[in-house]
Amino acid sequence: MATARTARRIEDYALLGDLQTAALISRLGSIDWCCFPRFDSGACFAALLGGPEHGRWLLAPATELRSATRRYRHDTLILESVFETETGAVRAIDFMPPRGTAPDIVRIVEGLDGEVPMRSELVIRFDYGTIVPWVRRVEDAHVAIAGPDGLCLRAPVEVHGEEMTTVSEFVLRAGERIPFTLTWFPSHEPPPEAIDAEVALDETEQYWLEWAGRCMHVGHYHEEIHQSLLFLKALTYAPTGGIVAAPTTSLPEELGGVRNWDYRYCWLRDTTLTLLAMLHAGYSDEALAWRQWLLRAVAGDPADVQIMYGIAGERRLEERELDWLPGFADSQPVRVGNAASAQLQLDVYGETIDALYQTRLHGAPKDDNIWSLTSKLLNWLEDGWRQPDAGIWEVRGPYRHFTHSKVMAWVAFDRAVRIHDEFGRDGPVDRWIALRDEIRAEVLEHGWSETKRSFTQSYGSEELDASALVIPLVGFLPADDERMISTVEAIRSELTVDGLLLRYRSRDDGSVDGLPSGEGVFLPCSFWLVEVLARQGRFEEARELFERLLDIRNDVGLLAEEFDPAGGCQLGNFPQAFTHLALVGAAFAIAEGRSMREGLGLA
C-alpha cells in the first residue's frame, strides 16, 4: 500500500529562491525542503527526504480541498496558489525576497471568496531533521534556536505550541490578507528586525521583472527559454557568482534505488554550460561574476583542479550518509557531500576554457589573471589529456579513455587557438594546433566503432553513449558528417526508451559505471538530440521531440535530471540546471534554425 511519503512525486514541488538558498513547496502548501543560510547548509525542513517529523512548514486550508492550482507571477519566482474548498477560496503567495542581510520566507494568504479555516504547522528540525530547537516568545516573534541556527516567525495571528509543532489556526475571509514571515539568523545574534511583507512582495516582483527585462531573446519559444533562464538564475549564489547544479540532495534516479547524490555544489561543467545559455540571451553580468569565482576556486596547482567546488570555492566536499532519513520514496542512502569531487574528469578543462573564450567574445574586458589561469590549465592538459578519467557521468568504476573527455580536450586547445587568433593573446599556438590535430586524429581512430557505425563511450568499447551527441555541438565534426548521421541513428536505436534517450545502458554487474543498473531516461541527452537534429536540418523531428520534452515539465515549468517513462514521473535532483540549460540550447536551435553555439560563432 502506498504511503503519503511514497505517493509523492518530485514534480509536485515548486521552487522558491533568494539567490543564496532555495526552498521546495508542494502543491498542497507544504515547504518540505529548505537549507539556511546557503544552498549547501544543513536543512531545517527535510520532509522531502522523510516525513513531517523531519521538518516542514504547512500553510493551507484546514478543510478538504476541491481544487488546488498554482502558477508563478509572470517572469518572477513569486508563486501563487489558489485553494478552493466547500466554504470558500484562498490565494497563497509564497516567495523569498532577494537577500538583504538575513534570508526570509514570506507567505501571504488572501481570502478570495467565502470563509476558509486555515492552519499553519511549522515543524523546525535543524541539521537535516535531527535537532529540535528551543522555542520562545520574544516580543512580536516566536524564536527557535539550536546550535548556530535561529529562526524567527512573525504573524499577526495567534501562535501556540502543539506536540513540538508551532501552530496557528484562523479563519480567512474574502478580502483579508494575512502575512507570515520566517527569517533565519545566527543564533548568537539578536533576532532581525521585522520586514513588511507587502513591501517585500513589491520589491521582489520588481527585482525579477527588471532582470527579465535584460533578456535579449525574442521570437519562438521565448517563454520557455526565459523561464528556464530564470530558474538558472535562481540557482546562482549571488555573493560569489557560483551556480549550483540543483538545490537538493539525494532525490533518486530510480525510485527505491541507490543512485542518490548531493547536487548542491558548483560543477565546472554545469556552470560553464549555464553561462553559455545566459550569454546567448544577453546576460553578461553573470558571466563576469562566474569568471571571478573561477579564478578564486581553482587557484593553485592546475593538476589539482576539481570538477566541482563549494559555492564559495570550497574543495573538501566529503561524502557521508544520513542514516536517519528514509529518503524520497524510501530511496536510500541519503547523502551529503559528493565523493566525485575528487575524480579526474578531463572534459571540464574544455568546458571551462570554452566559457572563458565565450565571455571575451561577448565583450568581457581583458583580464591578465584569467589568461594566466587559462595558460596554466592548458600547460597541464598538454600531457594530462592522455590520461584515462571518470568521464562526464562520473562513473564509480575504473577510469577509462572516454570519447567525450577527449573531444572536450580538443575543445580546450581549439578555443586556445581562437583566443590567440582573435584576441591576440600570447602562447605556444603552434603546439596547441599540433595537440588539437593529434587529439582529433586519435578520437576518429579509437573512439569510432566500424561495427556499430558510431562513436562509442570509450576507446575500444562497443558501448554507446549519448554524450557523443555533443561532438557536433562543440564543432568537432559537422552535424551532417556521415559519421554523425550514423552515430545519431545508432544512439536512437540502442538508447531510446519510449522516444527518449538513456545516457548509456547500465549493467546489473556494474561493469559500465560501477553501480547497480537502473535509472530513468536522461533529459539533457534528449535535448542534445533535438539540437543535433536541428543542425542536420531535420526540424520537424526536432520540434516534435522538443514538444514532447516540454510536456514533461511540471505545471510551473520545472524539470529534474531524469524521467521514468513507465511511471510517468520525474527522477533525480530538482530542479536541475543541466536539464534547463539543455532546454535553452535546444530551443535556440529550433527557433533560430541553428544551435546555440552556431549563434556564438563556434561552427
Side-chain angles (χ1 to χ4, degrees):
M1 178 180 296
T3 65
R5 191 168 68 219
T6 59
R8 291 177 300 170
R9 289 174 173 249
I10 290 170
E11 59 265 34
D12 289 342
Y13 289 91
L15 176 73
L16 308 178
D18 67 356
L19 306 179
Q20 294 193 37
T21 191
L24 293 188
I25 179 171
S26 75
R27 297 179 190 273
L28 301 180
S30 180
I31 297 177
D32 288 348
W33 180 257
C34 186
C35 303
F36 281 133
R38 309 191 331 173
F39 289 106
D40 57 353
S41 298
C44 61
F45 302 142
L48 179 71
L49 301 176
E53 67 273 18
H54 298 109
R56 71 161 182 174
W57 184 11
L58 174 69
L59 177 57
T63 58
E64 184 176 351
L65 294 178
R66 285 183 170 176
S67 68
T69 59
R70 60 185 179 174
R71 68 178 184 93
Y72 285 113
R73 284 194 184 180
H74 185 65
D75 282 343
T76 76
L77 275 186
I78 299 169
L79 185 69
E80 295 187 334
S81 305
V82 174
F83 301 109
E84 295 186 359
T85 73
E86 287 188 1
T87 61
V90 300
R91 176 186 292 119
I93 305 168
D94 297 293
F95 63 98
M96 297 179 71
R99 184 81 60 91
T101 56
D104 306 287
I105 298 175
V106 180
R107 314 189 71 177
I108 301 171
V109 286
E110 174 186 14
L112 299 178
D113 181 62
E115 297 185 354
V116 179
M118 301 289 293
R119 182 175 172 91
S120 168
E121 296 180 0
L122 178 62
V123 183
I124 299 170
R125 298 293 183 267
F126 291 119
D127 196 22
Y128 302 103
T130 59
I131 300 176
V132 180
W134 289 354
V135 181
R136 69 185 192 278
R137 180 71 180 258
V138 179
E139 298 179 347
D140 64 338
H142 283 75
V143 175
I145 288 177
D149 298 299
L151 281 172
C152 176
L153 174 70
R154 290 184 172 96
V157 294
E158 186 268 338
V159 177
H160 64 274
E162 188 177 301
E163 297 182 350
M164 311 300 285
T165 300
T166 302
V167 175
S168 297
E169 296 176 307
F170 56 98
V171 174
L172 192 61
R173 298 173 177 83
E176 293 180 339
R177 286 167 71 98
I178 296 180
F180 290 73
T181 62
L182 185 69
T183 306
W184 180 91
F185 65 99
S187 61
H188 64 277
E189 296 180 2
E193 296 292 325
I195 65 169
D196 185 311
E198 299 291 350
V199 171
L201 175 61
D202 291 341
E203 291 177 347
T204 300
E205 183 170 28
Q206 186 60 38
Y207 173 85
W208 287 113
L209 291 176
E210 186 278 331
W211 188 82
R214 292 164 43 205
C215 182
M216 295 176 61
H217 175 263
V218 293
H220 296 298
Y221 294 121
H222 174 78
E223 289 299 319
E224 291 82 358
I225 288 171
H226 190 266
Q227 187 177 53
S228 283
L229 291 173
L230 188 147
F231 298 145
L232 292 171
K233 175 66 173 177
L235 299 180
T236 301
Y237 185 66
T240 67
I243 302 172
V244 297
T248 57
T249 181
S250 299
L251 291 179
E253 296 172 11
E254 179 187 34
L255 296 182
V258 301
R259 295 172 182 257
N260 316 318
W261 316 109
D262 193 347
Y263 276 19
R264 298 172 299 154
Y265 305 112
C266 301
W267 268 253
L268 293 185
R269 176 188 310 112
D270 297 44
T271 301
T272 55
L273 294 174
T274 296
L275 291 176
L276 291 178
M278 290 278 194
L279 282 169
H280 196 50
Y283 290 106
S284 58
D285 290 349
E286 288 76 8
L288 293 176
W290 168 81
R291 196 167 71 162
Q292 294 306 309
W293 174 87
L294 177 71
L295 192 63
R296 297 187 300 269
V298 306
D301 188 339
D304 296 330
V305 169
Q306 297 185 182
I307 66 159
M308 75 179 84
Y309 295 87
I311 55 181
E314 297 89 347
R315 297 190 176 211
R316 299 192 183 279
L317 309 178
E318 286 87 354
E319 183 175 297
R320 66 188 191 278
E321 298 178 3
L322 308 184
D323 57 10
W324 60 86
L325 287 174
F328 186 91
D330 294 326
S331 305
Q332 293 181 312
V334 171
R335 296 180 174 95
V336 296
N338 198 307
S341 60
Q343 290 182 345
L344 173 64
Q345 296 177 24
L346 292 172
D347 64 296
V348 301
Y349 290 86
E351 284 136 358
T352 299
I353 294 172
D354 187 18
L356 293 173
Y357 167 68
Q358 295 301 331
T359 57
R360 287 302 313 276
L361 200 64
H362 282 75
K366 174 182 176 181
D367 188 317
D368 291 340
N369 291 324
I370 291 293
W371 181 242
S372 176
L373 168 64
T374 304
S375 298
K376 290 178 180 178
L377 294 177
L378 290 163
N379 184 62
W380 181 87
L381 196 60
E382 287 184 14
D383 293 318
W385 75 270
R386 303 178 192 279
Q387 299 182 34
D389 73 330
I392 183 175
W393 307 130
E394 302 174 358
V395 300
R396 300 210 170 189
Y399 280 11
R400 275 164 275 171
H401 292 284
F402 286 100
T403 302
H404 174 268
S405 297
K406 306 305 185 187
V407 169
M408 295 311 298
W410 175 92
V411 168
F413 291 111
D414 179 75
R415 303 312 187 253
V417 173
R418 293 185 184 216
I419 293 170
H420 172 275
D421 293 347
E422 297 172 26
F423 301 108
R425 283 297 194 175
D426 292 332
V429 67
D430 290 340
R431 190 159 73 240
W432 294 339
I433 291 172
L435 284 163
R436 181 180 64 178
D437 293 345
E438 180 184 355
I439 297 170
R440 186 177 190 276
E442 182 181 288
V443 169
L444 294 178
E445 179 179 358
H446 298 292
W448 174 261
S449 167
E450 279 295 332
T451 303
K452 293 291 183 74
R453 298 295 300 166
S454 175
F455 288 100
T456 59
Q457 184 179 66
S458 60
Y459 289 0
S461 169
E462 293 296 309
E463 298 284 348
L464 298 190
D465 193 307
S467 64
L469 296 172
V470 171
I471 288 173
L473 304 185
V474 298
F476 185 88
L477 283 177
D480 58 1
D481 184 284
E482 65 177 35
R483 288 163 293 192
M484 279 312 306
I485 291 173
S486 62
T487 293
V488 167
E489 296 314 308
I491 286 173
R492 295 180 84 174
S493 175
E494 288 200 16
L495 301 184
T496 295
V497 176
D498 194 24
L500 303 172
L501 291 182
L502 299 166
R503 48 186 176 171
Y504 53 84
R505 290 278 179 186
S506 58
R507 308 293 182 193
D508 289 336
D509 62 4
S511 60
V512 175
D513 58 12
L515 293 166
S517 64
E519 63 174 359
V521 295
F522 199 78
L523 295 175
C525 295
S526 291
F527 282 118
W528 290 342
L529 178 58
V530 169
E531 196 170 352
V532 174
L533 290 172
R535 273 191 176 224
Q536 293 178 342
R538 300 158 70 175
F539 291 109
E540 286 306 314
E541 289 180 75
R543 271 192 289 268
E544 182 178 344
L545 177 56
F546 187 66
E547 295 290 341
R548 166 83 188 283
L549 289 161
L550 291 181
D551 288 343
I552 293 173
R553 298 176 301 165
N554 74 356
D555 55 321
V556 290
L558 292 167
L559 285 167
E561 186 174 48
E562 300 186 7
F563 179 71
D564 175 10
C569 60
Q570 296 192 35
L571 298 169
N573 283 306
F574 178 86
Q576 172 74 321
F578 204 7
T579 307
H580 281 282
L581 66 89
L583 183 158
V584 171
F588 277 130
I590 298 174
E592 301 177 10
R594 53 186 177 170
S595 79
M596 176 165 52
R597 284 185 171 84
E598 285 178 312
L600 295 172
L602 292 181

